[in-house]
Amino acid sequence: SQTIHQWPATLVQPVGSPLSLECTVEGTSNPNLYWYRQAAGRGLQLLFYSVGIGQISSEVPQNLSASRPQDRQFILSSKKLLLSDSGFYLCAWSVRHQPYEQYFGPGTRLTVT
Amino acid sequence: AQSVSQHNHHVILSEAASLELGCNYSYGGTVNLFWYVQYPGQHLQLLLKYFSGDPLVKGIKGFEAEFIKSKFSFNLRKPSVQWSDTAEYFCAVNVRGSARQLTFGSGTQLTVLP
């Protein structure tokens, strides 16, 4: 069966520090991968999605970037964190040619201080 | 671009009460519709989905939803809620054929009192 991992589970970082959140998927090949940010009372906002290695689409211009160095690895990064980057970050995957259902990871709670 | 509206931000019910959570979307084309649930401390997980066919779909744990195309609605229902249904519920829309994304509503926090 497929599983999706995210780490770390929680992270506290000072303003101006770099960020790297990692997401890996097991049990499937060539998935679509997604990064969302969840804010209280605002649902989930899509940040990035990827349909293949090195292929990244950005949905919201901001202080973050994403990379996909391997088929089942998706990384969310920032060079310098802002206070407004605090939030709950979710990674998700879907089947490449049936991208309707998305399956979510456990999330990372990021607090920028 | 499509959007999703969930009308109730917080719903409080007693056990055995009936539940209906509203969801409306705006998009003129063909869509897939979903309800996701996030129990306290757990992953966001799929509750039920509609792709085509019978507009009344049944999901896990006794939940069901009805797609009414003319009203652009996909309301979630359960005849009798339990304390364990306390969770946040999200409606989502995906444009048919798009790898791009799910568009989520803002969520409804359901609290069921024992």
Side-chain angles (χ1 to χ4, degrees), chain A residues 32 34 36 38 41-44 46 49 51 59 88 99-102 104-106, chain B residues 32 34 36 38 43-44 46 49 51 90 94 97-102 104-106:
Chain A
N32 294 327
Y34 309 82
Y36 289 87
Q38 183 178 12
R42 297 179 60 184
L44 280 76
L46 180 68
Y49 71 99
V51 298
E59 289 296 307
F88 191 56
Y100 309 131
E101 295 177 49
Q102 293 181 19
F104 288 81
Chain B
N32 304 307
F34 306 84
Y36 281 82
Q38 190 169 31
H43 297 206
L44 196 65
L46 184 67
K49 61 190 178 188
F51 289 170
F90 295 92
N94 167 267
S98 168
R100 181 171 160 270
Q101 65 169 326
L102 287 172
F104 282 84
S106 57

Side-chain angles (χ1 to χ4, degrees), chain A:
Chain A
S1 64
Q2 302 88 0
T3 56
I4 178 169
H5 303 280
Q6 286 187 245
W7 65 89
T10 59
L11 189 61
V12 180
Q13 292 282 98
V15 168
S17 63
L19 173 73
S20 181
L21 303 182
E22 189 164 343
C23 170
T24 58
V25 181
E26 297 177 355
T28 187
S29 297
N30 305 313
N32 294 327
L33 296 171
Y34 309 82
W35 278 112
Y36 289 87
R37 179 164 55 202
Q38 183 178 12
R42 297 179 60 184
L44 280 76
Q45 179 187 37
L46 180 68
L47 303 176
F48 301 94
Y49 71 99
S50 171
V51 298
I53 295 174
Q55 300 178 62
I56 308 296
S57 296
S58 175
E59 289 296 307
V60 182
Q62 57 196 319
N63 188 41
L64 301 171
S65 62
S67 61
R68 185 171 177 174
Q70 300 180 42
D71 181 47
R72 291 170 291 174
Q73 184 184 30
F74 205 25
I75 297 172
L76 183 69
S77 303
S78 174
K79 292 182 179 178
K80 289 186 178 181
L81 284 168
L82 305 172
L83 285 174
S84 57
D85 292 324
S86 293
F88 191 56
Y89 290 85
L90 288 167
C91 182
W93 71 274
S94 67
V95 175
R96 174 63 60 84
H97 298 296
Q98 290 181 297
Y100 309 131
E101 295 177 49
Q102 293 181 19
Y103 304 92
F104 288 81
T108 295
R109 173 74 60 190
L110 171 66
T111 303
V112 182
T113 60

